[in-house]
Amino acid sequence: MRILYLNHYAGSPKHGMEYRPYYLSREWLKSGDKVNILAASFSHLRQNNPRDLPGLFGEEEIDGIIYSWYATPKYAGNGIKRVLNIFAYLFQVWNMSRFFVNKWTPDVVIASSTYPLDIYPARFIAKHAKARLIFEVHDLWPLTPVEVGGMSPRHPWIWLLQKAENFAYKVSDAVVSMLPCAKEHMVAHGMAPEKFHYVPNGIVVSEWENATATLPDEHAALIERLKSEGRFLVGYAGGHGLANALQELLKAADWLRDAPVSFVLVGDGPDKMALEQMARDLGLDHVHFLPAVSKAAVPALLSRMDALFIGWRKLPIYRFGINPNKLFDYMMSARPVIHSVDAGNDSVREADAGLSVAAEDPAAIAEAVRQLMAMTPEDRQRLGENGKRYVLENHDYRVLAKRFQKLFKANAAK
């Protein structure tokens, strides 16, 4: 199979997030498939964006995967510059569409750029190449900008995105959703029910089995000191932004200032300075902030914690489900998870991998910490092992890639 994968924000181990297109493609290559990923040269998600393109287009091969990079302007935030970045990418993919029809001739075309506008060039290529068209949904746009970003449903940008989403559900041969509870919404917008397929995010087992990276000295020294003092360590690793509900974790820490527990928050993000100031204002000496660690060092970090925290804001959009990579990393570490969430699904509860409490409820978070501290190490280990087993069974990219491939083979049977 020749697979053309349109993903504006696609990354790689060389560039950083997002990793899903790379990991799926790498598995497909093992089956003899060929993959060409079409991506923008600039993404706010990547740590390293491609540089020095020879004009408006550049191509490189990464672990057997062809990456076609399209020159796009830089942006910050969600303003007009990001919109210009999107249209620069789409315009150039349109310009190259006949090349892919006539020269590359894919068997499968995947439209997967979060925003649904890439369905138009993807449909053109798939139709003229007689390829199967798959629409891959990360987030529900334009519903997310409306419900989370506060944009008016009557805004021209939202109207344009809505037309594209409806068109995608109508013309795609299959719809792959990373959100487990989104089927009803998609059907309401024109998708035939049988098109729906749930393929969540995942983990690469070998990255955990072969993990040898050690922690930076600063991190190792703090953890060692806290352990020697007999502290119960609650860890968080990831972005420090509004969506992560870390303010609620600090409020919970305020409830636990007299308990032998310490909170270790590792990462960076737009709200980190405000969170550090909040901890100082509350006098939370048992809350510690550390810089982000490399992806390779995440297993070493998480395994040193006694429990791990992940939180969410109380937002209606989560009724369609959540699918965070960070949670799967947590569960792979075999540590119990405190999950503060109100959503359509809850992997921690399903797996019996920790304690789930309501979103934005510091008292409930504090009580969950107390409950885990009161458990025996064996009981906490049982919860952790439940989570690891659940991820291996349901979120191994080797399993997910094969599930995706079944949709490719459906085309061959036509």
Side-chain angles (χ1 to χ4, degrees):
M1 290 283 180
R2 299 172 70 84
I3 304 159
L4 193 66
Y5 203 151
L6 283 69
N7 188 300
H8 186 124
Y9 305 102
S12 72
K14 176 180 177 180
H15 301 97
M17 290 178 61
E18 69 182 61
Y19 295 107
R20 177 183 171 95
Y22 168 82
Y23 286 135
L24 287 172
S25 298
R26 193 173 65 172
E27 294 301 323
W28 297 335
L29 259 63
K30 294 176 183 177
S31 300
D33 296 329
K34 296 181 179 180
V35 185
N36 191 333
I37 294 177
L38 311 187
S41 68
F42 181 84
S43 162
H44 66 287
L45 297 175
R46 300 190 199 109
Q47 287 76 42
N48 300 295
N49 282 293
R51 297 180 180 179
D52 302 323
L53 298 184
L56 296 177
F57 171 81
E59 189 172 279
E60 72 175 305
E61 184 175 314
I62 301 175
D63 297 331
I65 305 164
I66 300 171
Y67 279 75
S68 297
W69 301 109
Y70 296 93
T72 54
K74 295 181 180 180
Y75 63 89
N78 293 315
I80 188 63
K81 288 187 176 180
R82 184 172 184 187
V83 175
L84 293 175
N85 175 281
I86 289 172
F87 279 107
Y89 169 76
L90 293 172
F91 178 76
Q92 292 177 75
V93 173
W94 263 114
N95 276 349
M96 292 286 290
S97 60
R98 290 201 175 275
F99 166 81
F100 289 111
V101 170
N102 298 322
K103 300 296 183 181
W104 212 73
T105 318
D107 301 294
V108 178
V109 178
I110 305 170
S112 174
S113 291
T114 305
Y115 60 82
L117 294 171
D118 62 350
I119 191 62
Y120 295 114
R123 169 72 183 324
F124 178 89
I125 296 168
K127 181 179 179 180
H128 288 86
K130 296 181 173 56
R132 186 164 175 81
L133 178 61
I134 298 175
F135 182 48
E136 185 177 38
V137 179
H138 302 239
D139 297 315
L140 293 174
W141 279 44
L143 193 61
T144 297
V146 170
E147 291 195 358
V148 180
M151 294 187 71
S152 168
R154 296 181 178 86
H155 192 286
W157 175 241
I158 298 300
W159 179 87
L160 185 66
L161 293 175
Q162 190 61 72
K163 295 287 286 185
E165 182 191 24
N166 295 350
F167 180 72
Y169 294 143
K170 178 181 178 180
V171 302
S172 298
D173 295 300
V175 176
V176 169
S177 174
M178 300 182 208
L179 305 174
C181 308
K183 183 176 181 179
E184 185 176 341
H185 167 87
M186 294 175 175
V187 170
H189 285 272
M191 182 190 74
E194 64 273 14
K195 290 184 179 181
F196 182 85
H197 302 272
Y198 172 52
V199 182
N201 278 324
I203 56 96
V204 179
V205 176
S206 61
E207 291 184 354
W208 285 84
E209 293 176 339
N210 303 323
T212 58
T214 58
L215 289 174
D217 291 343
E218 179 183 5
H219 298 64
L222 174 65
I223 292 171
E224 186 62 33
R225 176 174 68 80
L226 296 175
K227 288 278 190 182
S228 68
E229 294 171 359
R231 310 290 290 184
F232 184 89
L233 301 188
V234 177
Y236 171 84
H240 289 43
L242 184 62
N244 308 113
L246 294 178
Q247 295 90 342
E248 311 307 321
L249 180 62
L250 296 191
K251 293 174 186 176
D254 195 21
W255 287 63
L256 295 163
R257 60 174 64 246
D258 296 325
V261 57
S262 291
F263 297 83
V264 181
L265 282 65
V266 180
D268 297 304
D271 291 339
K272 183 166 184 175
M273 290 180 63
L275 290 164
E276 290 175 322
Q277 185 61 53
M278 179 179 175
R280 286 193 293 268
D281 291 344
L282 292 173
L284 302 179
D285 296 333
H286 57 312
V287 175
H288 306 272
F289 293 88
L290 290 169
V293 299
S294 68
K295 183 175 172 62
V298 167
L301 172 69
L302 299 182
S303 66
R304 299 301 308 278
M305 300 295 122
D306 296 300
L308 298 163
F309 171 82
I310 180 170
W312 302 81
R313 294 169 61 200
K314 194 178 292 185
L315 295 174
I317 195 72
Y318 294 145
R319 66 190 180 276
F320 299 109
I322 54 176
N323 188 36
N325 282 317
K326 176 167 53 189
L327 178 56
F328 307 139
D329 282 337
Y330 279 13
M331 295 167 81
M332 272 300 292
S333 73
R335 293 295 179 266
V337 179
I338 299 170
H339 197 196
S340 178
V341 63
D342 289 319
N345 67 313
D346 181 355
S347 298
V348 172
R349 190 183 302 276
E350 293 169 19
D352 189 24
L355 299 175
S356 294
V357 300
E360 300 185 12
D361 190 339
I365 296 170
E367 179 57 28
V369 174
R370 292 191 185 97
Q371 289 184 39
L372 288 176
M373 292 176 69
M375 289 182 183
T376 64
E378 292 75 19
D379 284 341
R380 289 196 297 268
Q381 184 64 28
R382 178 184 59 80
L383 294 175
E385 292 296 340
N386 287 346
K388 182 175 182 179
R389 182 167 55 251
Y390 178 88
V391 172
L392 289 173
E393 292 174 356
N394 297 283
H395 295 281
D396 183 342
Y397 265 118
R398 291 173 296 190
V399 175
L400 300 179
K402 290 179 181 177
R403 193 186 304 177
F404 218 132
Q405 276 179 312
K406 290 180 181 179
L407 306 180
F408 303 164
K409 294 177 181 177
N411 185 61
K414 281 186 170 183

